[in-house]
Every structure is written in C-alpha cells, then in structure tokens.
Amino acid sequence: MLSVPCPWCGPRDETEFRYGGQAHVAYPADPAACSDAEWAGYLFMRDNPKGWFAERWFHSAGCRRWFNAVRHTVTYEFAAVYAPFTQPPGVPS
Amino acid sequence: MADLLAQRRSPLAHLAGELAATGFMRELPYLSSYEVRADPAEPAMARLGAALFAGPLLAAAWPTAGRAVGTGPRYALWCGPGWYLVVDEPGTTLESAMAGLPAVDVSAARTVLELTGPFARDVLAHGCAIDLHPRAFGPGSCAQTHLAKAQVILHQTATATYRVFVRASYADYLARWLLDAAVEYVRRIDE
Amino acid sequence: MSQPFRRAAGGRIDRSRTLTFHFEGRAYEAHPGDTLSSALLANGVRVVARGPYTGRPRGTYGIGAEEPNAFVQVDSGPGEPMVRATQLEVYDGLVARSLAGKGSLGEEPDDSRYDKTWAHCDVLVVGAGPAGLAAAHAAGVTGARVILADERPEPGGDLLGGRAHLDGRPAMDWVTDLRARLAGLPEVRVLPRTTVTGAYDGNFLVAVQRRTEHLGPAAPAHVARQRLWHIRAGQVVLATGAHERPILFPDNDRPGVMLAAAAAGYAWRYGVLPGRRAVVAGAHDGALWAAVDLVDAGVELAAVLDARHLAGGQAHRALRDRGVVVAAGHGVVGTDADADGVLTAAWVAPVDGDGQARRIACDLLATSGGWNPAVHLYSQAGGRPRWSDDHAAFVPGDPLPAVACVGAAAGTFDLADALAEGAEAGWQAAAATHGGGGEEPLPPATDSVASAGAPAACWITARADSPPETIFVDLQRDATLRDVRRAVGAGMRASEHVKRFTTAGTAADQGRTTGVTTVGVLAGLLGLPVGAVGTTTYRPPYAPISFALLAGRDRGRLLDPERRTPMHERHEADGAVFENVGQWKRPWYYPAPGEDLDQAVLRECRAAREGVAMMDVSTLGKIDLRGPDVGEFLDRVYTNRFSTLRVGQCRYGVMCRADGMVFDDGVTARLAPDRYHMTTTTGNAAAVLDWLDEWLQTEWPDLRVSATSVTDQWAAVAVVGPGSREVLRRLAPSLDVSAEAFPFLTVRDATVAGIPARVFRISFTGELSYEINVPAWYGLALWDAVAEAGRPAGITPYGTETMHVLRAEKGFIVAGQDTDGTVTPHDAGLGWAVSTVKPFIGGRSLARPDTARNDRKRLVGLLPADPSVVLAEGAQLVVDADAPTPVPMLGHVTSSYRSAALGRSFALALVAGGLTHRGETLQAVDGGQAHPVVVTEPVFYDAEGARRDG
C-alpha cells in the first residue's frame, strides 16, 4: 500500500487516489491543427521509464485535487509533489 | 411548513433504535449544509465568513487544510482548497448570505452519524486508514476519506466526539457496518 | 500414568489446572500454557502427522512458526485446517487430529467474528524476544508511539523458560519488569499472539492477531476471533529472531528427530522431556548448549556430536563438567525406528571419510546445523539477504530506509550484543520519527560466554552410499536429496527453479527450517559458493491468513455497500425484485402475485405505453455546475452545444473521451445563466464528475466552473405514459402542465404534493413523461403522493427491466451496455448530436482514419425470424454459422428484450458496416444455436416521435 503524499491532505493511502499517468502531456491547444500522427502521439504514446517519473495523481476520495508527483518506478519512492502547470522540482539522480 | 417538515424521512430513521442501543452512536438528521467553492481571499468569501462566523475570537477566517472552524452549531469544514462544507442546525437557510457565491444546498445529500465516548476512535479505526491519534487528529480536525467502503467527511467536534458525514444512499450500509464494528465495545460498556 | 514425560517442576505452564483435550480420538491431559505439541510430548505421543506423499509418520520437529511436520486439523470450535501444533494453545475441550499434508475446511459455516483495524505508530517492533523488548522499551521511554507485535502468547522470545541471567537475575524476571514498564507507557501497545505477515511499500505492515482461539469454547462470541492489523509505521525494528536449521541425514524424518534448541525449549519452557535418552548432533555452539540444557533437564545424553573439529570453549567445558564428551568431527548417518516408525537409534560416524558407523540407541535425536536469521520481512520490504561465512547463514544485506534488523534476525546471536543492538535501534527509530526524549535506557548486564568457534556450514552428514530418497530436504513436501539431484541433473542452477521443480520450500511452512539447507545442498552439487546461489524470494504472507480474516466484516450484507434510494423501503413493501446497478439496489420489476419476470414486464410496459406508470429514478447521477463559463465548458465536453441553451431548457448530450469513443450521455438543463444541472448514467456518476474535475483542473483552470455532486441531494420519480399529465396536474395544481406551457425538454420549479420540487419534462421511453425531483428526505413522501394521485388511473410502478424494454424500443442506447469504449457517437447512431462546427473533447479523433472507416461496428436493430426468441445479449452475429472456422464475426447483440408493444422479441446490436446490412438476414449464435435475424433500423416504436406530448 503506497502512502501518497497529497500536497493538501498529507500522506494518505493509495486507495484514496486515482492514477493519472504521465504528467506534462498537455491537451493540444488546437487539436484540429494536429496531424494524425501528432494526435495519435497525444492519445496513445507515453513514456514508461525505469526510474524517476513525473506523473499525475488525483486525490479522488479526499480533497479532489489533481497534482503532479515525481516517483521512482522501481522503489516507489516519492521525491516531490507539485502543482499542475508547474515544472517538476529537481529530480534526484 | 410543519406539514412539510413532517413529510421528511431521514436516511437512518429506520435504525434509530439500534444506534441508540449502542449508547454512543446516533444520527444527527436534517442538518443544513452547503458546499461552497471559492477562493477564501475573494471579497464575497470574506464577507460570507464574517456573516457566518463573526465573533471576537474568530475573525471570519475560513479553515485551513484539514481543519474545521465553528461557532455554536455552525461549522465550516475544509474539504479541499477553496472548497468548504458549511454546516448548521436543521432548517437554517443560508441562501441569502451565500448569494453570488458558488454555494450548493446539499443538506439532503448527506446525513451525519455522531460517535461519542471512549471507544469512538477505536470503532472508527476499524474502517478508517487515517491516523486518528490525538497527536495527528483532534478536536477541530476534519478529513475527507474512506470509512469502511464509504466515502465520508470525518469531523472531530470534541475530545471524544466525531461526526461522520455520509452520503444518504450509503448511510444504511455505513450505519450497519458501524453497528457491527461496535459490538465488542457495546459489551464493554455494559460490563 | 498421565503425562509420563512431564517434568516434576518448571516451565511456563499453570500446573494448578489440568485441561482435557482429544487427539486422534483419545483423551489426554495438559496444563494451561501448553501447546498441542508440548502436551502430546508430555503424554508420550510422538506421531503427530504423516508425510503427504510417503505416508511416513512424522513428529513434532520444532517449537514455533518454523514447524514443518506437526500440522493438525482442529475439529473443535469453528474448526480449522492446517494448524501448527507447536503454536496451538491447548484449551479444555480441544479436539484435533493428525494430517497428511493438507487439511479440509469445515462443513459448517464459521459464524465467528473477524475484524480489521488500522493503526499508526512511530516505531513498530516485530518480535518480543530480548532484542525486541529492548527496542520497544528504548523507543517507548521517549514518548514515541510504539507497537510491539509478537506471535507468542507472552513476550520473552528465547528467554521464555530459558536459563539465561540478566542483571544477575533469571532473565524472565527482567522480562516481567520490562512488561510492567511497557504497560506503564501509555503510547506503547503490546500485541501478543500477533504475527506480522507482510511488509509492504511505505512501511505498511499487516499483522494477524489471534484473539480468542486459545479460549476454546469459553471464547466470547461478541469478540472477534482474529483481527487483521494494518499498520503504518514511521520506523520498523525487525527483531524477528532466527529459525533453527537441522543437519540432514538418512531417515531424518522419524518422530523423535527434532531440532536441538526446540528439544531444549520443551524441557525448560514447557517442563516436558522430549525424550529420555538423546543423541545431539550439531555444527555450532548452540547445539552444544542445547545438549547442556537437555542433560540438566534430566535427559540422558547418549552422545553429543559436533561436525566441527573443535575442542575447548565454554560449552565443551560445561558438558565435560556433566560427564559428557563431545565427539568432534562426527555426525549422524542414519536412524532406526520401531514398527510404528518412531526413532529407536541413531547411526553415528565421522563426517570425514567413510569410517565405521556406530549404532546408539536413543528416543530423541536433537539436530542443529545453525540458525537462519528470519529475514522474511526484511526481504519483503525490499532488502536482499547476503550470505555470511562468519554466520554460516544468510543475514540482512544493505540496510533499508526506516527499517532496522536487530538481534538474531540480524545474525547477532550473542545475548548481550542483541540487547544492546535492540536498545540502540529502538532509541534511534524513536529519534528519527518522534524526536526522541528522556534518557536512553541501558541494556541489562549479561554473563559473557566464550565460544568454541565459528559455526560450520554443514548441510548433510551421510555415507557415500546412503540412499538419497531417504534424506528429506523438505519434510512437509516429502522432497528429498534425490529430487534436488534430479533438478540439477535436468540442468537447473537457480534456487528459484529448483524450488519449483522439487517443490521444496513451497509448503505451508515455506521451508523455514530447510530452505537455506536446500540452497546449501544445491550449492554443493553445483560446486558453487552458497552466496552465489542465493536464497529464493520471500513473499508475503509470512504465515497463512484465513480468507475469513481477509474478509473481516466485509461479508454477507456488508460485502459491498448497498446504496439505497429514499424510497427503498416502499419498493420492498411493494414486493420489488431488486437488481444491482453499480452499488445501487434498484427495483428490477414488481411481480404481481403469480407473475414471473416476463409477465410482470409486459404488464409494466403496457401501463407505461397505454396508461400511466412510475419509476424511482433517484439513482441517476446529478451534477450541479456553476460559474460564468459553464456554457463554454459544456460545449467542450459534450459533442453538441450547450452554451446556447436557454434558461429553463434541457438538452440531451453525449460525452466522448479524447479518443472519440462514447463515454457517457444524459440530459443537462440550464437553471440560470450561470447554473446547469447535468445528469449522468447511474453507474457513471463518479467517473463523470472526475472527468469534469480533471479537465477543469489540469487543462482549463481559466474556466470559472465549479462542479458539485448532487446525486444524493435529489430523489426523483419519473411519471410516464399518456396519463402522466393528469397525475402531475393533480399533484401540482399551481403548475400549468399543458404541452404549450410546459413543453418537451424544459424544466420547471414547482410545488408538487406540497413539496418544493424541480420537474423535468424529459423522456427515456418516448412517452409523455415528467421527472419530479425533490430533496432526498422527501423522496418517500413524493413516491407515496404520486402513487396516491395516480391510483384512479391505475398507476403502475415499474423497474429497470421495463425501462430497458421501453428505451430499446425507441432505440435509445445505454452507455456502457450498447457502447463499450470502442463506439463513436456516429457508430451509436448519435451523429445528429455531434457538432461539426465547434471543437469538443474527442472531436479530433472522429477524423482519424480508423474512426472514419465505413466498416466500423455500428448500431442496428435486429428482429429474430422467430418472434418468440429473445436473443442472448452478447450473442455473436455471423453471415453463415456453418462457414468453415474461423467464422468471420460481424458483431454482437447489445440489448435484447420481448416487447409488449411490438408483440414480439427484438434487439439492438453492433454490426460491422451497420445499416448497410439493412434487410439482410444474419445469424445470431448463442450456445451453439444459430437464430436467423433480420437487420433493421434501431428504432422499433413511434419512429416519428408522436407520443412524447401525450
């Protein structure tokens, strides 16, 4: 059971959250201007790194806020949480 | 009006006897409640805070994360950033005070189970993953979380008194769950 | 004579009371404090179980959780299979019997209570042996919140009944003092009979507490028999001790062969002689000290063997003082047994070369190859054990954050060192989480013991010609040296592979006694160092957990929340049969006396189409949307436009995911310029709210919109059918219900039956209908008032089945039934609701080559050639069911019913190419039978929409 550090509510059990996949994948400003390949890239292609990963979480059973987190996909350690539309703080090496 | 009120039926009316028999659980039905979603720094929110909670000790401050503030029977519970549940006695109408704010009357959407006494915390801990120890959660604390398999707002109003706000449709389930969790403790009170 | 092997005094048993228990149908006596194993040994019962495959008799082998042999079936109380006799506390009336490998669940339902609880602490200490007690105390005195969990009935670990001295007093006096001190610390919680079974991410640990089993029939029924603890700990101190491991030899499975420290433990902790004449065989000092304990308890030592070539050391001196000479460089190479298979003698020989074996008569063969630190939880938490030659054991490797291993679990077998290590770890853990405080307690003083030398990694003592199938590497699986050799012969090198091939280490005991031994044997066969082979992976649970406990109180009615509408009790009183829709309980149909589902639904449908009917539609998802930008927001999330909706109007809308597939649909009304009321499918309410919040927070925070779930705020009754206007007129005399004043797709605030209400003129049936919404606590009163007002017209309550028939007759889809995440609005026949002008979520996807294909599966209607056949939902559609396989599949049936209005069956389906097949006959295949069906438009009733105004 992960303990997810909600930036508002503090650490809560994973079961209170919804996972939102990779962070910083913005909805294209003008989808109609996207080529089929660009649009497919937005829809379907995501990174899947072994190591630190910036991803989205939603505290659905708590404050219902979306936030971003930097988490290690091997150790599951959370290095940082931060607001949407902001850049990730320094990622541990 | 009296006729109208007589037509109400609270979500746990049918379990009132069983709850009372535990000696430490009861439903607080028909509380007025409103979900307000606005930045507390907005002037309209400041005015509302002043109107609802004005007092010498409470300078119209909206609660910070994880906290509830209140005077008398009226509370504001922090639900999330810029999101509050204002709770008051049954029948209280706050529409006019909230005019111009995104405030939704949700009085009938939830009911409240109140647990009080030395075993209240232990009973809740059977289904609640958050830390309710006095060092982590005390009077004036509130949290949206899970209790058993229901989503709730938990509000500790006094040293050994907790209010559980539960959606009306889940109330029967949650009350039955709490009655079952309470069995050991009820016996201990009897002894 | 009763309990012939019971010593005259001593042990942590209450000799003032005598209990009676039954084993294998015979009555025996025991004392409180006994386990079934100690009680059977006291009564001279040596055979407790049998090998699962060989059927060979087996006796008690260990003294705790490591036991591989003595599993029994308990028949008293709720009954339980596969209980370790070494941990089963005897109670008056206990009934148990021996097992051969596996038990069986009782026939009767177990009505015991089981529960769960969550706990948080600064420091969790696992294990209440000397190191764990010292850790808990050092952490506790700082004021930190401490949980000390221990699987035994009382703390003390190896000090229990042992003969060590602390601070110059018997060690158990120190334990007693410490217990009192812990009891005086309000933030320290001691959990006896509690096994920590799993260590998960973020220092989340799960523990099983056995609360009343030991009380037997005296257990109070209102107290949960077991409790599952979910513990979130700031720091964890693992003081889990070590498991004794044997040395293997031919016929090492006979009752009477036992781990040496376990044998000594029975003598001193339980006051039971595990035998009268013993051979002790070991490869480390611990075995020699066990021999000292045995001889001091009155066991005759026939021989003490040490596989090492060592002399000197304190243990040797202690044995010499007792007239016992250690046979250095010797081991056991075989055993003899009597007709019952019980040990009668050991064959003893030098471990080097093939010297002459000597037969020594004995009824106890106590073996000890060393100690395996219990690294299970360390390993589960992410640690990798490493082989240590110094310990001749796997010990914890790199340290883990916020987890400390202390005492024997860390390979620290010396008592003084273990106590110091525990105290320091507890102190540091408290400092790291709680901040520390007070004064660090000093560990008690111990007598120092000079060791004879390092333990040897000795796995097997046998002669070259000893048959390998008699050397058991896993007693509970009956796996032998021959199996390991076969695995190696088959080319296996990894311990994980050998484990799966031989099954050694996979039984309920998880190879605690011999798992490492198997690795050692494998390393020997491969000619590799033990560390290079490595252990198998330790996974949770450390000890079995019953399903009943995992379920806790989440069973029966509490298995899953039952969501109820405010009218639920009336539906029950009206005899409704309920259907689960998500977590909701919804009336499915209301059978009149003698009616089945089909008959009831035909009657309910007829009422809705020809008269008037009513339905509880409270479960519909409802979302209140506020803010100046709601219209713009809805234009983006719905495929059609909502910003142009006038106040008081409603519109049907379809939502897509970004991939262009239908996600949800519903009617949304504009209540004020900046306020909309959205409805969603019953099962999708939470997902839609999440969806809206996601876009508002993560993509369009500039839009001033707030979304609030009001699903539970409103109860709603749909009044349906040509007679519905008259019913509403009676209920709301002040509301002009004429078609002109209250047209289709509008909403009105009104007083209905004296209750403030919001009435929508919308229809999911094609008939004239109204959905009356009131605050939920008036729901029951509204329902009753509608029923009363409709009584003269014969108003008929109907359930979800009728609703489905009525909507399917009109070709109205249900998102999630007629769509499945691969269906675009165009596929579903909803192209009319898709804007070609404005952008919306998913719009770009509709122009992708794949979504623009003509041969996509699209919604059609189906009429079975045989009008009495109701197709199975999910039935596959093919052109020719007899075509050679694989038969090309065109699609499947999504909704299928019998229609009162049509007087026949009909269905909706998704078919590749959709209505290009109109008029064609396809075959619907269900259960091996092919039904001819004709493809039609998906609207079967009132295609021109003439009925919605009544």
Side-chain angles (χ1 to χ4, degrees), chain A:
Chain A
M1 177 73 71
L2 291 182
S3 179
V4 180
C6 171
W8 297 100
C9 304
R12 294 284 184 93
D13 280 5
E14 186 184 348
T15 47
E16 291 194 6
F17 295 83
R18 248 191 57 202
Y19 183 63
Q22 184 177 1
H24 308 294
V25 182
Y27 185 65
D30 183 5
C34 291
S35 69
D36 282 338
E38 286 166 346
W39 183 250
Y42 163 74
L43 281 183
F44 304 124
M45 305 309 285
R46 296 293 184 273
D47 296 339
N48 185 22
K50 181 178 180 178
W52 295 107
F53 189 42
E55 57 193 19
R56 308 189 310 156
W57 288 85
F58 176 50
H59 194 185
S60 54
C63 65
R64 296 192 59 81
R65 298 307 292 185
W66 281 90
F67 59 93
N68 294 336
V70 175
R71 189 179 63 100
H72 199 279
T73 57
V74 176
T75 65
Y76 299 166
E77 180 191 348
F78 283 88
V81 289
Y82 57 103
F85 306 105
T86 62
Q87 286 308 303
V91 167
S93 49

Side-chain angles (χ1 to χ4, degrees), chain C residues 521-598:
Chain C
V521 169
L522 175 63
L525 292 171
L526 295 172
L528 292 171
V530 180
V533 174
T535 62
T536 55
T537 307
Y538 300 102
R539 294 188 184 84
Y542 168 77
I545 306 175
S546 71
F547 284 112
L549 179 59
L550 289 175
R553 56 176 47 82
D554 302 335
R555 57 181 182 174
R557 192 172 186 175
L558 299 178
L559 174 64
D560 198 42
E562 288 182 2
R563 295 182 73 178
R564 299 162 156 233
T565 75
M567 296 78 121
H568 187 88
E569 64 183 81
R570 188 67 72 243
H571 303 323
E572 284 182 330
D574 289 347
V577 177
F578 288 87
E579 172 181 45
N580 294 332
V581 181
Q583 291 176 322
W584 288 99
K585 288 278 172 203
R586 297 195 73 181
W588 186 18
Y589 61 102
Y590 296 81
E595 275 184 342
D596 63 12
L597 168 67
D598 286 344

